Amino acid sequence: QLQLVESGGGLVQPGGSLRLSCAASGFTLDYYAIGWFRQAPGKEREKISCISSSGSSTNYADSVKGRFTISKDNAKKTVYLQMNSLKPEDTAVYYCAAQRVIVVLCPDEYTYWGQGTQVTVSS
């Protein structure tokens, strides 16, 4: 019943942009924090961003800070990850994840995960 579905991945040239979407169903975003993660071949999964249940608090990994922006639209039940100035090292499968929270903070752990969407940055 609780489901997250990512979309928007694809092939883009270095310096280009993509916007990923994470559509939620079966629950309201009002009480869930959402995180974006990525995993490249041969690498451990990396937390790259999160947004609190209220949307008032966001965090970014140093590797994407200044280039990526997380946002959400509660009415559309969708969380976005705007990715600018993409680099080849950004190539990975990108996942969104949800965690129910009481306070308006990004949590350390996430319970629900999407299926992932492939992002490839290459010339």
Side-chain angles (χ1 to χ4, degrees):
Q1 293 180 0
L2 195 156
Q3 189 176 29
L4 300 169
V5 179
E6 298 100 330
S7 62
L11 176 64
V12 64
Q13 295 183 0
S17 298
L18 285 174
R19 189 177 75 160
L20 304 184
S21 298
C22 175
S25 63
F27 67 103
T28 176
L29 296 181
D30 292 338
Y31 299 104
Y32 286 81
I34 304 294
W36 280 100
F37 298 76
R38 68 184 182 186
Q39 188 166 23
K43 300 287 188 179
E44 295 295 319
R45 187 173 62 199
E46 176 189 15
K47 183 181 179 181
I48 58 174
S49 187
C50 68
I51 187 166
S52 65
S53 57
S54 70
S56 62
S57 180
T58 59
N59 286 306
Y60 299 92
D62 289 342
S63 58
V64 305
K65 193 173 298 182
R67 300 187 297 120
F68 291 10
T69 302
I70 190 170
S71 62
K72 68 174 184 174
D73 185 333
N74 284 0
K76 294 182 178 180
K77 302 183 70 173
T78 302
V79 179
Y80 305 97
L81 184 68
Q82 179 67 47
M83 306 186 296
N84 298 325
S85 301
L86 284 164
K87 306 173 181 179
E89 50 263 45
D90 294 319
T91 296
V93 177
Y94 284 71
Y95 302 88
C96 64
Q99 177 66 44
R100 189 175 184 182
V101 296
I102 301 299
V103 298
V104 289
L105 298 172
C106 287
D108 295 326
E109 304 293 333
Y110 293 82
T111 302
Y112 306 99
W113 293 80
Q115 83 289 345
T117 185
Q118 176 70 48
V119 172
T120 302
V121 185
S122 176
S123 299

